[in-house]
Amino acid sequence: MSVVQDTALPSGQGARDALHHSDRLRRKVTEQLKRRIGEEDIVAAGPDKRIRVPISGTKPWRFVLDRGERPGGVGQGDVRPGDVLGPPDGDADGSGTGEDGAGTAPGEELYEVTLDMDEVEELLFAELELPRLKRKPDPTTTEQDVVYDDIARKGPQVDKKATLRANLERNARRGRAFVGDVDRDDLRYRSYHEQPRPRDRAVVFCVMDVSASMNVPRKRMARLFFYWCVQFLRRRHEQVEIVFVGHTTEAWELTEAEFFGRVATGGTRVSAAYELVDEIATRRFPTADWNAYALHCSDGDNFAADNRRTLELVQRLVERFALVGYLEVDSGTGFGVQRRLSGFFADQAADLDGFVFATADDDRALWPALQRFFARQDVAGAVA
């Protein structure tokens, strides 16, 4: 007995619609998370905490039949051709407000999606990647890759194609070109050798201005930016070293706890930070063995006479580093455009390959900055 599937939809259309709805839901959740990366319930969430993300318009589209709730059939009503259709129930201005001032229009449907921190990071970090990452040999690793690149008469694994080819050649030499009567002399094996496994080894220098001009809101934005940098690096890259550097007119290598909790005062000399990064990279992370990155966050206030020295150091670093990035927080207040370091970079380093800089006035601008520094494509040109 044959069974014929009777459906009005093309084959597989329902599955495709479900997949499309799932992708749409994923995009909406991701966009909401990008806007909320500065909220405490996300930043302070532990691994076991569940995070609620409200999103709108996520019900899958479907046809709903009239269940007799309206009289008449399709196209029935008391209107005539040419009638102007206005807002329902006297809502003349379209505001959804009735005569008594109360709202009468239906509100937007909101749904909550509950995620844990692993799911949050998976959604966000899917768009990020260390740019220009190259395979580097690791002299300390003991792991080896097994490479099958030869054929031998002995080995652990028979190569079927090579064996049949040898059998065909042997039979052809005897005057009968066919495959059959395989014996031990026909057997061929895949041969291998071991070689050291290269790693995507990388070092990332996180450099933060902790001078007096970095007030509480600016320091909060800088710490928030580096928080997400560290979360991304540790989740997506196993072979990554993170070096924390703080600076005023001097620079110091710090522990992670000191970096995120240090409070300092004094002036600003940005070149001191880049000098320390250059020194540490030369001494401990040779470019032959490491992909190097530097990310610097400041409010843009720098000793004016130091800008030229800072540029020289940036130019030196980009020759060896995969990326040098500069983020200026709260750039819209406090200093004139010409006094800010971003203004100097816009004039002097806009075309410098390997150097990317961005500005952020509030939490919502931090995610676009992260996308610029951790671009999946080649490093974009610097922007003011």
Side-chain angles (χ1 to χ4, degrees):
M1 180 178 68
S2 63
V3 178
V4 179
Q5 181 181 10
D6 184 12
T7 176
L9 291 176
S11 177
Q13 184 64 48
R16 287 194 293 271
D17 286 347
L19 182 61
H20 174 71
H21 172 68
S22 177
D23 290 341
R24 184 162 60 95
L25 177 64
R26 184 185 182 92
R27 289 195 300 269
K28 283 181 174 289
V29 172
T30 305
E31 290 302 317
Q32 281 290 331
L33 290 173
K34 291 177 184 177
R35 298 188 188 101
R36 296 180 56 196
I37 62 172
E39 295 183 8
E40 185 176 355
D41 65 331
I42 294 180
V43 176
D48 298 328
K49 182 175 179 179
R50 307 288 288 179
I51 299 166
R52 293 182 176 181
V53 182
I55 53 178
S56 61
T58 56
K59 274 192 174 181
W61 294 101
R62 62 189 179 92
F63 289 104
V64 179
L65 299 177
D66 183 3
R67 297 180 175 85
E69 297 174 358
R70 298 181 181 181
V74 175
Q76 302 299 315
D78 57 358
V79 296
R80 297 179 180 180
D83 287 352
V84 177
L85 300 179
D89 300 329
D91 184 12
D93 60 357
S95 64
T97 303
E99 294 179 358
D100 58 355
T104 58
E108 184 180 23
E109 288 186 288
L110 294 176
Y111 305 89
E112 282 190 340
V113 176
T114 305
L115 307 170
D116 58 30
M117 200 58 192
D118 282 342
E119 292 169 321
V120 169
E121 293 181 354
E122 185 65 30
L123 287 171
L124 289 173
F125 300 157
E127 301 181 10
L128 306 182
E129 187 175 276
L130 275 176
R132 295 178 172 178
L133 188 64
K134 298 179 181 179
R135 306 302 295 270
K136 298 287 186 177
D138 185 354
T140 64
T141 184
T142 58
E143 297 184 26
Q144 304 285 324
D145 274 335
V146 175
V147 180
Y148 287 90
D149 57 358
D150 200 3
I151 303 296
R153 289 184 176 271
K154 294 183 179 181
Q157 184 176 356
V158 173
D159 189 309
K160 295 179 181 179
K161 289 185 178 180
T163 296
L164 294 178
R165 191 181 303 114
N167 174 260
L168 178 62
E169 291 176 356
R170 182 173 60 83
N171 289 334
R173 288 195 298 269
R174 295 178 177 180
R176 295 188 306 161
F178 76 102
V179 175
D181 299 331
V182 177
D183 62 24
R184 185 176 298 274
D185 290 337
D186 297 330
L187 295 179
R188 298 293 183 270
Y189 299 86
R190 298 182 67 187
S191 180
Y192 70 93
H193 70 277
E194 294 183 348
Q195 65 181 20
R197 178 181 300 171
R199 298 292 190 91
D200 298 334
R201 295 210 303 170
V203 56
V204 179
F205 292 88
C206 295
V207 184
M208 182 162 56
D209 181 357
V210 293
S211 63
S213 62
M214 288 283 288
N215 57 24
V216 172
R218 292 168 185 163
K219 285 181 181 177
R220 176 189 170 277
M221 288 185 63
R223 289 167 179 161
L224 183 61
F225 169 75
F226 283 119
Y227 165 81
W228 287 109
C229 287
V230 170
Q231 293 296 106
F232 159 68
L233 292 170
R234 288 181 174 159
R235 182 176 182 87
R236 295 294 297 275
H237 296 277
E238 295 180 1
Q239 293 291 314
V240 62
E241 293 283 342
I242 304 176
V243 178
F244 298 99
V245 174
H247 77 90
T248 55
T249 57
E250 300 178 350
W252 317 270
E253 182 175 359
L254 306 172
T255 65
E256 183 173 353
E258 291 171 339
F259 180 79
F260 283 102
R262 189 181 183 101
V263 177
T265 59
T268 309
R269 186 170 65 91
V270 172
S271 64
Y274 288 107
E275 287 170 351
L276 181 59
V277 169
D278 188 21
E279 176 191 337
I280 295 174
T282 302
R283 178 165 38 91
R284 288 161 40 189
F285 303 98
T287 54
D289 300 328
W290 294 86
N291 295 278
Y293 302 83
L295 298 175
H296 177 216
C297 188
S298 173
D299 60 358
D301 185 30
N302 190 36
F303 183 51
D306 185 58
N307 286 349
R308 181 58 56 182
R309 172 60 177 165
T310 299
L311 178 59
E312 292 174 356
L313 290 164
V314 169
Q315 292 170 331
R316 180 191 301 178
L317 289 177
V318 296
E319 294 177 356
R320 299 151 45 208
F321 281 32
L323 171 79
V324 176
Y326 171 68
L327 173 65
E328 194 167 283
V329 293
D330 198 16
S331 61
T333 61
F335 316 111
V337 175
Q338 298 304 319
R339 281 195 58 195
R340 297 200 303 264
L341 194 56
S342 61
F344 176 77
F345 283 148
D347 291 336
Q348 303 294 325
D351 299 324
L352 186 57
D353 186 38
F355 178 58
V356 177
F357 64 97
T359 59
D361 296 330
D362 54 36
D363 292 352
R364 291 172 297 179
L366 291 178
W367 187 258
L370 283 164
Q371 287 180 306
R372 289 198 62 81
F373 299 138
F374 299 119
R376 296 184 66 89
Q377 307 298 327
D378 288 340
V379 176
V383 294

